[in-house]
Amino acid sequence: DGGITQSPKYLFRKEGQNVTLSCEQNLNHDAMYWYRQDPGQGLRLIYYSQIVNDFQKGDIAEGYSVSREKKESFPLTVTSAQKNPTAFYLCASSIGQGARSNQPQHFGDGTRLSIL
Amino acid sequence: QKEVEQNSGPLSVPEGAIASLNCTYSDRGSQSFFWYRQYSGKSPELIMSIYSNGDKEDGRFTAQLNKASQYVSLLIRDSQPSDSATYLCAVNHWGLTGGGNKLTFGTGTQLKVEL
């Protein structure tokens, strides 16, 4: 079945540790996104990528890094510089940019990150 | 100033009633509008898209858009307990580096459908 797979579902980070969240899609979508959701707040954009080997910072990129080496994959690394990483992380994808950029984004099941 | 505003609720309606969820947005250049449903602890699920003024119906759901008033709403007819969730309004507009679109989310309205 086509969709977006995020792993792991739950992740725990120790002090000073970097952790990587996986996001894979088989929808043949060009654009991929990472959001963070905190209780009582809307989704906030961390990073996005509209094409392979290119990505841009969103509204809250500090303390995070990404790569887009393959169309299907857009992993997010939460670095030790992110002092408040506890949140629900959501990966999304959409068909693409330009004339097709009005299409909706579809979400994976999310990864819940906590601090040990 | 928030770009997309929703009443956080909770909005409580009896089973079988019509639930009305509202959203206002600030960017007049917004081009497309979406409603997502999010159950507690789960990820958002797209339930409606609307691109032009007027009403769009899909089953028990109707989305309404008024660009002049910068207002979009979602009506749920014959509300069921399974409709109890948080409903996120999302507005799409040009704003990303490289010419891409940006999806801005409201904080969501919690709907409770009571037996």
Side-chain angles (χ1 to χ4, degrees):
Chain A
D1 288 352
I4 303 169
T5 301
Q6 290 188 243
S7 61
K9 191 171 183 178
Y10 299 96
L11 187 58
F12 298 91
R13 197 191 87 169
K14 296 179 181 178
E15 284 289 333
Q17 185 182 40
N18 294 351
V19 292
T20 297
L21 285 60
S22 171
C23 179
E24 303 277 334
Q25 55 98 359
N26 60 4
L27 300 168
N28 200 32
H29 284 174
D30 288 316
M32 297 186 74
Y33 311 83
W34 276 104
Y35 292 91
R36 168 179 173 144
Q37 188 176 36
D38 296 279
Q41 297 195 39
L43 278 68
R44 293 185 289 168
L45 183 63
I46 304 172
Y47 267 98
Y48 62 96
S49 169
Q50 298 180 72
I51 197 168
V52 175
N53 292 323
D54 186 49
F55 51 83
Q56 304 290 340
K57 293 181 179 180
D59 299 320
I60 56 165
E62 186 175 350
Y64 300 97
S65 66
V66 293
S67 63
R68 185 87 186 275
E69 297 176 1
K70 298 186 301 182
K71 186 175 184 177
E72 301 80 17
S73 179
F74 191 41
L76 173 74
T77 296
V78 184
T79 74
S80 57
Q82 173 48 245
K83 298 306 179 187
N84 185 21
T86 297
F88 189 37
Y89 290 86
L90 291 158
C91 178
S93 71
S94 64
I95 286 178
Q97 54 184 319
R100 302 184 302 171
S101 65
N102 279 335
Q103 297 304 306
Q105 295 177 17
H106 299 272
F107 289 86
D109 289 339
T111 292
R112 202 165 293 277
L113 176 62
S114 302
I115 295 294
L116 279 178
Chain B
Q1 182 182 1
K2 289 185 180 179
E3 297 180 31
V4 178
E5 297 240 19
Q6 296 181 254
N7 188 324
S8 62
L11 172 66
S12 293
V13 299
E15 184 178 7
I18 296 175
S20 178
L21 304 160
N22 304 315
C23 172
T24 58
Y25 60 95
S26 59
D27 185 355
R28 286 195 172 274
S30 299
Q31 301 146 350
S32 47
F33 307 85
F34 309 103
W35 284 98
Y36 289 83
R37 177 176 61 199
Q38 187 174 25
Y39 291 113
S40 181
K42 303 295 185 182
S43 65
E45 172 194 10
L46 178 71
I47 55 172
M48 288 291 285
S49 304
I50 187 165
Y51 300 92
S52 55
N53 281 329
D55 294 0
K56 178 182 177 183
E57 187 175 318
D58 183 1
R60 295 187 296 113
F61 299 101
T62 299
Q64 300 174 316
L65 175 61
N66 184 327
K67 289 187 178 180
S69 299
Q70 295 175 244
Y71 175 93
V72 58
S73 65
L74 179 70
L75 300 178
I76 306 175
R77 289 182 300 282
D78 189 24
S79 295
Q80 301 297 310
S82 59
D83 294 325
S84 297
T86 296
Y87 290 80
L88 304 174
C89 173
V91 175
N92 204 3
H93 54 98
W94 293 105
L96 294 182
T97 301
N101 61 295
K102 178 177 182 178
L103 199 61
T104 301
F105 289 83
T107 54
T109 297
Q110 185 183 7
L111 174 66
K112 293 185 177 180
V113 180
E114 298 167 335
L115 295 171

